[in-house]
Amino acid sequence: MSEEHNPEQGNRILEVSLGATTAEGGTRERVYTVGGAGTFPFLGAGPAAGHPPRIALEICDDTRTWSPIVLREVGDLAGDTGAWAAAAETTFGADMVRLFFTSTRQRGFDDFASLGTTMEEVIGATKYPLIVEGSTEPGIDSEVYRRIGEAAEGERILLGTAEADRYRSVAASALAYGHALVAQTPIDINLAKQLNILLHETGLPPERIVIDPYTGTLGYGFEYSYSVMERIRSVALQGDADLARPMISSAIDSLNVKEVREADPETADEVAIRWEFYAAFSALVAGAEIVCVRHPGTVALLREALPALQEGSHPQEEAYGDESA
Amino acid sequence: MAMKALDIYKLLPKTNCKKCGFPTCLAFAMKLASGKVDVDLCPDLDEQTRELLGGATRPPIRLVGIGAGERSFAVGEEFVLYRHERTFYHQPGLMMQVADTWPGERIERIMTRVRDETFHRVGEDLSVDGIAFRCESGDADQFGGVVGMVEACASLPEVVIADDPEAQAAALAHCGNFQPLIHAACADTVEAMCDLARKYGCALAVRAGDLEELKRLVGLCRDRGIENLMLDPAPATLRDFLVRSVEIRRRAVERTDPDLGYPVVFDTVPIDLPDAATALGILKYAGVIIIDELAPSSTMAALTLRQNIYTDPQKPIQVTPGLYPVNAPTGSAPVLMTVNFSLTYFTLLGYLEAAGIPCYLFIVDTEGMSVLTAVAGGKLTETVVADAIKKTDLENRVDHRILIIPGYAAPLSGKIEEETGWEVRVGPRDAAEIGEYLETGWEA
Ligand code: B12
Ligand code: SF4
């Protein structure tokens, strides 16, 4: 019997809690715990099954680089970040919103005040835990992450993204304002391990780290990402504590690939949804605890499929019951 | 359990007589250990050793062929649970169903789609593999009629889905000689189904929701001399399929349960989550996946996923480095440098052909890494480029000294100029913009 299938071995993925209720100093109506599984995804029963995976809808504060297919679908919402975030939870049925501060990725960005404002707006508009992505430019990282972290203080957001050569600003903000953090490395199990060790040295507790092994899009590197997720899960269950963390997966370039971009306008939505779905669904099967997509239609399709993968009839609801305030 | 080469060697005659085609018994032992050859190649083994080694070294999952002719395929002969442990070898066949109660036009439309629809990716033509006939009418003649109608216009691999041996017989009368898969025998019908499988020499699926029952059915078929088997674990949900298929694969590759050493069939239709079920079948070890009519957007994504999962994780698909003329270029045509990763090459080629501009693709050896990956991993450097220029004799093949490099390789432009003496132009990052870039005067 191979080790990863032996539940007696007792190795579990660490549990990470996202969101904070009023009692805990935040304003969320739900708190999610992700991780906890002691087997490969959806194979375990009882406690070894771990917590249900979560589906996040990605939105942004500056839509200039966002897929026109999604923008057409969400219409006016794209101009109102708060309303878009609220719709993600209510209309589109996502478990959570992943807000990208894409405005910070424009050359010469300096409107730092807007970050706090937008952050507060989105917090006010939503009830569930949040994932928030800041800048990718070392020169402004420290200011950006400070503003976002501060505005979300107490909410225990999942803040991203830390990378090996630029993690200090994100980690500092997560530490100062009590957030969890996304640790991303490019499709390599050893790099993932190293980054977690580096982060450990910043003093950030392991139960506040979610691994992002980087997801290449379907047809454009997904095969590597799928296997790296399986490998991470496998060594984690064999006892490698540095990798026994929940994983987040977002095939971020899905809507930019040739097959989607060049799809016939009449079927573009269908193609976009399928391209995202096949990667996100496969990531769940490989071990991702949080999957992120951009087209609302993909959320619906994932929502429908998830219960059929899980033990029992309504595991999602049960989990909410256990964990809500 | 699988045996190590040295343990196998101990049981061989050690005469190095070469009759097996290998120079030494040890060489043969090593091939056996990796599951690459059959033990029967050595003629000097006693029956007992042959059986022992056979059990330990034959592929843990039997290879089963479906269909005859060009589109036929084989599944099974897999060795691992996770593709990172080695690779997956035989991708699952996707079989689109038609029911015998459907109107003729609908059946014909699906048949035509399966026959003609292909989707081109990374130098491969991807398509759904065949047709699955489902008997819903309960009427043997009607079922046979539909099979006969499709059989007359398409030679595609087939699955015949009928619980009633009489309906099976009626269908097989039309298509039995083309190696369809008979689906499926259960406790009551195993004898009659075995007779049909024997008569036509085709593969037979056995179906049961319980692994012990599946094993029992396998045993019954084998007792009747039927070895070309597949297993349908009769899942009612995605999770049923996942749990059962993983367990079957695990026991098979660990060789703890030889009766489960057959490829799995996944009938996704009853589950009613077509995309999720198709993806799950691809990921988790199905050999044949029976699907309902999926829109082209779904089959395109499913076939891409299958292509991804069934590539060897150790080696990226590569093209041979060199100079490739596109659209009949002359000596003054632009030279576009790129890497030898297949995906990059085919993506670029697609855009260049569409743009219709004569040019040369100058492919340097980055060990199959994409542009960004090669730059980040140090596989694309000025020395690599300089070497490639020499090897392809580029200086004598074009009458200029201008090299267009990918936008993502911009950080290397100065170094390449220095090392090669060629003038470097940085092209766009996105290949979609390449036509426009070349048209608006790369010569500047
Ligand atoms: C799959 C993948 C891998 C696979 C390798 C796949 C392969 N065969 O290349 C693996 C897992 C092995 C890998 C490894 C690494 N990777 Co990697 N990988 C990717 C991923 C997800 C997709 C790459 C891909 O397939 N792209 C698709 C092809 C078609 O793109 P392309 O070759 O660039 O071609 C396009 C353009 O460049 C253009 N083009 C191409 N040729 C030409 C020519 C001309 C003239 C023009 C004008 C245009 C043009 O057209 C194409 C289509 O638009 C990318 C992320 C991403 N979004 O790109 C990361 C990525 C490239 N990897 C990255 C890194 C850091 C690495 C590693 C160094 C990490 C490590 N382990 O140390 C290693 C290096 C490998 C090594 N040791 O050499 C980083 C690079 C960071 C950076 N910006 O520099 C990326 C961006 C991920 C990230 N965001 O962190 N990687
Ligand atoms: S045929 Fe048998 S005895 Fe002869 S070399 Fe091969 S393994 Fe050895």
Side-chain angles (χ1 to χ4, degrees):
Chain A
M1 201 173 216
S2 55
E3 284 143 304
E4 62 266 32
H5 283 280
N6 189 348
E8 274 103 297
Q9 189 125 335
N11 297 313
R12 292 280 176 85
I13 305 299
L14 209 64
E15 293 179 338
V16 171
S17 290
L18 303 174
T21 59
T22 333
E24 295 159 324
T27 60
R28 305 295 88 191
E29 276 181 17
R30 285 177 184 175
V31 171
Y32 296 143
T33 302
V34 288
T39 65
F40 263 82
F42 312 111
L43 292 176
H51 298 275
R54 299 294 169 186
I55 304 162
L57 183 78
E58 297 183 341
I59 68 169
C60 64
D61 74 331
D62 176 338
T63 57
R64 271 177 285 180
T65 54
W66 220 246
S67 162
I69 299 174
V70 172
L71 295 180
R72 211 167 44 222
E73 174 75 14
V74 302
D76 292 343
L77 291 175
D80 182 343
T81 317
W84 195 357
E89 290 180 354
T90 52
T91 320
F92 306 140
D95 288 319
M96 57 205 307
V97 167
R98 187 187 201 193
L99 167 64
F100 280 81
F101 276 107
T102 38
S103 57
T104 65
R105 300 176 185 188
Q106 305 290 336
R107 198 166 294 207
F109 171 82
D110 60 2
D111 186 9
F112 296 104
S114 71
L115 303 177
T117 322
T118 307
M119 193 66 250
E120 278 163 22
E121 207 179 295
V122 169
I123 288 171
T126 56
K127 302 189 192 111
Y128 308 157
L130 294 166
I131 310 173
V132 182
E133 294 290 328
S135 48
T136 51
E137 173 53 54
I140 57 169
D141 276 354
S142 131
E143 186 65 11
V144 168
Y145 286 107
R146 191 179 64 74
R147 299 281 186 140
I148 299 173
E150 192 177 20
E153 184 164 15
E155 299 288 356
R156 206 179 168 96
I157 61 173
L158 177 56
L159 188 60
T161 288
E163 293 177 64
D165 53 359
R166 37 173 295 278
Y167 62 89
R168 290 183 194 282
S169 308
V170 199
S173 174
L175 269 172
Y177 306 108
H179 302 306
L181 167 153
V182 180
Q184 187 191 75
T185 41
I187 329 183
D188 184 304
I189 187 165
N190 298 316
L191 296 179
K193 192 173 160 76
Q194 278 167 27
L195 180 56
N196 275 289
I197 295 169
L198 285 175
L199 288 169
H200 185 72
E201 286 162 9
T202 67
L204 195 75
E207 59 279 1
R208 273 163 56 188
I209 297 174
V210 173
I211 295 180
D212 179 354
Y214 192 98
T215 303
T217 310
L218 188 64
Y220 296 84
F222 184 73
E223 67 272 43
Y224 297 95
S225 299
Y226 178 80
S227 282
V228 101
M229 283 186 261
E230 285 201 329
R231 282 186 68 195
I232 289 176
R233 183 69 159 241
S234 168
V235 301
L237 294 179
Q238 283 167 48
D240 189 330
D242 292 318
L243 292 169
R245 313 277 165 83
M247 288 185 276
I248 183 171
S249 168
S250 170
I252 227 158
D253 291 322
S254 288
L255 305 183
N256 295 330
V257 303
K258 188 168 174 257
E259 288 80 356
V260 176
R261 252 186 345 196
E262 293 173 7
D264 177 340
E266 273 180 25
T267 56
D269 283 296
E270 286 307 305
V271 175
I273 291 169
R274 264 50 187 200
W275 216 265
E276 284 200 313
F277 176 84
Y278 276 78
F281 180 85
S282 303
L284 287 170
V285 173
E289 273 89 356
I290 303 173
V291 292
C292 314
V293 296
R294 295 190 175 178
H295 198 295
T298 318
V299 175
L301 216 52
L302 286 166
R303 243 315 47 102
E304 210 187 345
L306 252 183
L309 271 175
Q310 291 164 307
E311 258 261 291
S313 47
H314 298 290
Q316 300 274 331
E317 275 66 28
E318 280 163 34
Y320 291 149
D322 288 348
E323 293 160 38
S324 305
Chain B
M1 274 290 148
M3 286 175 81
K4 294 207 162 55
L6 273 180
D7 298 326
I8 295 171
Y9 175 67
K10 285 184 196 142
L11 299 174
L12 295 177
K14 304 190 204 57
T15 55
N16 299 335
C17 74
K18 304 189 172 60
K19 281 185 276 189
C20 56
F22 293 92
T24 60
C25 293
L26 184 62
F28 184 56
M30 282 161 65
K31 281 286 172 198
L32 275 176
S34 64
K36 298 242 167 70
V37 292
D38 199 288
V39 68
D40 291 344
L41 286 176
C42 173
D44 299 335
L45 294 174
D46 60 58
E47 197 47 41
Q48 205 187 338
T49 316
R50 188 190 306 275
E51 217 157 85
L52 178 82
L53 288 180
T57 62
R58 283 209 182 94
I61 299 172
R62 190 184 173 90
L63 189 72
V64 174
I66 295 176
E70 228 179 290
R71 301 275 291 262
S72 67
F73 63 91
V75 293
E77 242 176 50
E78 298 290 347
F79 297 86
V80 293
L81 263 177
Y82 300 109
R83 60 191 284 281
H84 62 254
E85 297 173 306
R86 189 152 156 188
T87 186
F88 294 166
Y89 292 95
H90 297 98
Q91 62 179 26
L94 293 179
M95 312 295 272
M96 204 175 269
Q97 77 155 356
V98 296
D100 66 344
T101 48
W102 291 357
E105 297 139 48
R106 183 168 175 201
I107 295 174
E108 204 177 310
R109 189 187 68 226
I110 292 174
M111 183 272 294
T112 314
R113 262 192 74 190
V114 175
R115 191 187 58 196
D116 303 339
E117 205 170 273
T118 60
F119 155 59
H120 198 73
R121 264 204 102 250
V122 201
E124 278 184 50
D125 284 322
L126 309 181
S127 49
V128 167
D129 300 86
I131 297 270
F133 298 103
R134 192 180 300 268
C135 180
E136 271 180 3
S137 65
D139 181 307
D141 290 339
Q142 184 168 339
F143 190 48
V146 166
V147 174
M149 173 186 115
V150 173
E151 195 52 56
C153 12
S155 93
L156 290 165
E158 291 159 333
V159 182
V160 181
I161 310 172
D163 291 338
D164 170 13
E166 260 176 56
Q168 282 285 354
L172 291 169
H174 294 280
C175 67
N177 294 329
F178 307 109
Q179 306 282 302
L181 170 68
I182 301 178
H183 181 281
C186 48
D188 304 341
T189 56
V190 80
E191 243 170 89
M193 295 291 197
C194 281
D195 289 345
L196 288 168
R198 186 177 315 102
K199 177 170 175 195
Y200 292 105
C202 49
L204 172 65
V206 294
R207 187 177 68 227
D210 172 89
L211 296 196
E212 290 309 310
E213 175 64 6
L214 267 183
K215 281 160 59 180
R216 195 182 71 85
L217 293 173
V218 165
L220 290 175
C221 294
R222 282 218 295 235
D223 290 346
R224 289 171 171 74
I226 305 298
E227 294 276 358
N228 255 342
L229 296 168
M230 293 191 71
L231 312 173
D232 179 346
T237 66
L238 293 181
R239 186 168 193 272
D240 285 350
F241 176 76
L242 179 68
V243 170
R244 291 173 198 170
S245 184
V246 168
E247 189 61 16
I248 290 171
R249 178 67 156 253
R250 192 176 61 70
R251 292 204 216 167
V253 299
E254 289 175 0
R255 298 176 194 273
T256 48
D257 230 334
D259 286 346
L260 294 175
Y262 297 93
V264 163
V265 188
F266 184 12
D267 184 358
T268 67
V269 178
I271 290 180
D272 211 23
L273 289 165
D275 289 300
T278 305
L280 191 64
I282 291 168
L283 300 170
K284 290 296 165 183
Y285 323 132
V288 162
I289 306 176
I290 299 164
I291 56 177
D292 214 334
E293 186 176 13
L294 291 178
S297 56
S298 287
T299 52
M300 193 161 99
L303 294 169
T304 304
L305 178 66
R306 181 177 75 175
Q307 189 185 40
N308 275 184
I309 296 300
Y310 280 80
T311 56
D312 185 339
Q314 265 83 40
K315 340 180 222 329
I317 317 177
Q318 308 187 19
V319 288
T320 316
L323 195 65
Y324 290 69
V326 185
N327 304 322
T330 59
S332 62
V335 177
L336 303 162
M337 186 195 86
T338 193
V339 295
N340 73 322
F341 181 34
S342 274
L343 179 62
T344 308
Y345 167 76
F346 283 108
T347 309
L348 213 53
L349 189 66
Y351 284 112
L352 290 172
E353 285 176 347
I357 299 169
C359 61
Y360 288 99
L361 253 185
F362 171 49
I363 299 182
V364 306
D365 187 355
T366 55
E367 296 167 33
M369 291 295 131
S370 77
V371 175
L372 260 180
T373 314
V375 173
K379 296 281 196 286
L380 179 59
T381 62
E382 61 278 16
T383 3
V384 169
V385 179
D387 285 353
I389 290 180
K390 273 197 215 105
K391 269 197 205 134
T392 50
D393 195 21
L394 190 58
E395 305 206 332
N396 294 315
R397 306 205 27 203
V398 292
D399 49 28
H400 61 82
R401 295 285 174 275
I402 302 172
L403 203 57
I404 302 173
I405 67 170
Y408 283 121
L412 298 174
S413 66
K415 289 192 203 134
I416 297 175
E417 283 201 336
E418 242 167 66
E419 184 74 23
T420 63
W422 282 57
E423 182 185 338
V424 171
R425 302 268 168 80
V426 177
R429 291 181 162 192
D430 189 337
E433 289 160 24
I434 209 153
E436 198 188 328
Y437 171 81
L438 291 177
E439 254 158 32
T440 50
W442 60 278
E443 285 157 299

